[in-house]
């Protein structure tokens, strides 16, 4: 359970907070949506938690349990997918940030595991405009740096869903969660200009867009380590006095 739910006690949090100039909380946000026949519905949550755990292993942050259901409306054609509205997700993150501030944690980093959570960018923009300390991680540039370092062959455009990156991270962090089939499920659909109107079912029958056959545990490990390195700039920015 510690892979998804932090095992900290209140004393752990107090001790960690005493050793830093400004406390930073990390909130993984995943989803509950189809990821083809071989990855679990909770894939995005598992990925977000794996990234957040890697961060917590390298920086003195307050690791939070994940938000496990988010905005997966584009996957509604597949059984098992569950969504909440963007308004609800916006409110949940804002409420969590406000609660953290009341307990003395000034800064929040949202670790997003699902590309369809567009509203998280608005949450961070609005919070920053109010003078609150919040960031969204990873940015596309962080993923690109991780992709290059890990030797991921597929571009970020092509590796859209249940592809090389997600398969690699789960092969490293949760190999027991994969089922057979990723080796033969590659499917490419780079022109997705009508995705918001048609949903994923307008572009793929299997639910997969990417090349999962190229995934490996070694790539997953390198992806996570690179993202943890990239997080350093975010940590410095949020804890600075500027």
């Amino acid at each position: 359970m510690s892979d998804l739910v932090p095992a900290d006690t209140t004393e752990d949090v107090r001790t960690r907070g005493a050793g830093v100039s400004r406390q930073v909380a990390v909130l993984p946000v995943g989803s509950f949506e189809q990821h083809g026949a071989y990855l679990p519905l909770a894939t995005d949550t598992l990925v977000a938690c794996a990234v957040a755990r890697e961060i917590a292993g390298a920086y003195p942050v307050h690791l939070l349990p994940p938000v496990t259901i988010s905005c997966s409306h584009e996957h509604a054609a597949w059984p098992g997918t569950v969504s909440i509205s963007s308004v609800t997700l916006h409110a949940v993150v804002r409420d969590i940030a406000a609660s953290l501030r009341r307990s003395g944690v000034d800064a929040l980093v949202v670790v997003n595991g699902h590309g369809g959570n567009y509203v998280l960018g608005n949450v961070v923009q609005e919070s920053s405009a109010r003078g609150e300390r919040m960031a969204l991680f990873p940015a596309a540039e962080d993923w690109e740096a991780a992709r290059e370092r890990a030797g991921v062959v597929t571009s970020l455009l092509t590796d859209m869903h249940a592809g090389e990156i997600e398969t690699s991270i789960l092969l490293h962090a949760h190999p027991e969660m994969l089922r057979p089939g990723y080796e033969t499920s590659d499917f490419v659909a780079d022109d997705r200009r009508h995705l918001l109107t048609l949903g994923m079912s307008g572009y793929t029958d299997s639910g997969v867009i990417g090349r999962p056959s190229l995934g490996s545990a070694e790539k997953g490990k390198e992806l996570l380590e690179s993202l943890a390195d990239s997080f350093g700039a975010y940590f410095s920015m949020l804890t600075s006095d500027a």
Side-chain angles (χ1 to χ4, degrees):
M1 287 294 291
S2 61
D3 283 347
L4 294 177
V5 181
D8 280 349
T9 68
T10 189
E11 292 304 317
D12 294 329
V13 177
R14 179 179 287 115
T15 300
R16 188 184 304 115
V20 295
S21 59
R22 178 175 284 110
Q23 292 192 69
V24 177
V26 172
L27 175 68
V29 178
S31 72
F32 200 72
E33 66 187 38
Q34 71 83 21
H35 276 77
Y38 50 88
L39 292 179
L41 295 163
T43 291
D44 289 341
T45 299
L46 295 170
V47 168
C49 286
V51 174
R53 281 199 315 276
E54 196 78 17
I55 289 169
Y59 305 90
V61 298
H62 180 27
L63 182 59
L64 301 174
V67 175
T68 58
I69 296 177
S70 59
C71 302
S72 301
H73 312 284
E74 70 273 30
H75 299 278
W78 281 270
T81 297
V82 182
S83 289
I84 58 177
S85 72
S86 60
V87 173
T88 300
L89 182 57
H90 189 296
V92 167
V93 176
R94 277 198 63 180
D95 284 356
I96 289 171
S99 177
L100 287 164
R101 289 194 298 273
R102 288 193 294 272
S103 67
V105 181
D106 296 330
L108 174 65
V109 178
V110 180
V111 175
N112 182 32
H114 171 49
N117 289 335
Y118 310 113
V119 71
L120 294 177
N122 299 122
V123 177
V124 173
Q125 287 176 323
E126 294 167 16
S127 297
S128 298
R130 290 191 297 268
E132 300 161 6
R133 292 181 182 250
M134 189 181 294
L136 183 62
F137 183 82
E141 293 84 355
D142 302 312
W143 278 118
E144 183 61 27
R147 185 187 73 82
E148 292 179 1
R149 172 167 158 180
V152 169
V153 176
T154 317
S155 70
L156 293 181
L157 172 65
T158 299
D159 196 59
M160 188 258 188
H161 190 70
E164 186 176 359
I165 287 176
E166 290 184 322
T167 300
S168 293
I169 290 176
L170 261 69
L171 282 169
H172 168 64
H174 292 282
E176 75 283 358
M177 301 292 281
L178 274 80
R179 300 190 185 187
Y182 70 89
E183 305 90 342
T184 57
S185 294
D186 292 6
F187 183 78
V188 173
D190 283 352
D191 186 345
R192 303 184 297 270
R193 69 187 73 189
H194 304 301
L195 178 67
L196 296 180
T197 301
L198 299 176
M200 285 284 289
S201 61
Y203 294 94
T204 171
D205 292 331
S206 67
V208 178
I209 297 179
R211 296 191 178 97
S213 69
L214 300 177
S216 72
E218 292 76 14
K219 291 177 182 177
K221 182 174 183 292
E222 288 292 327
L223 285 162
L224 293 177
E225 289 179 355
S226 176
L227 290 174
D229 288 345
S230 294
F231 184 80
Y234 293 76
F235 187 78
S236 296
M237 175 180 64
L238 291 171
T239 56
S240 71
D241 293 329

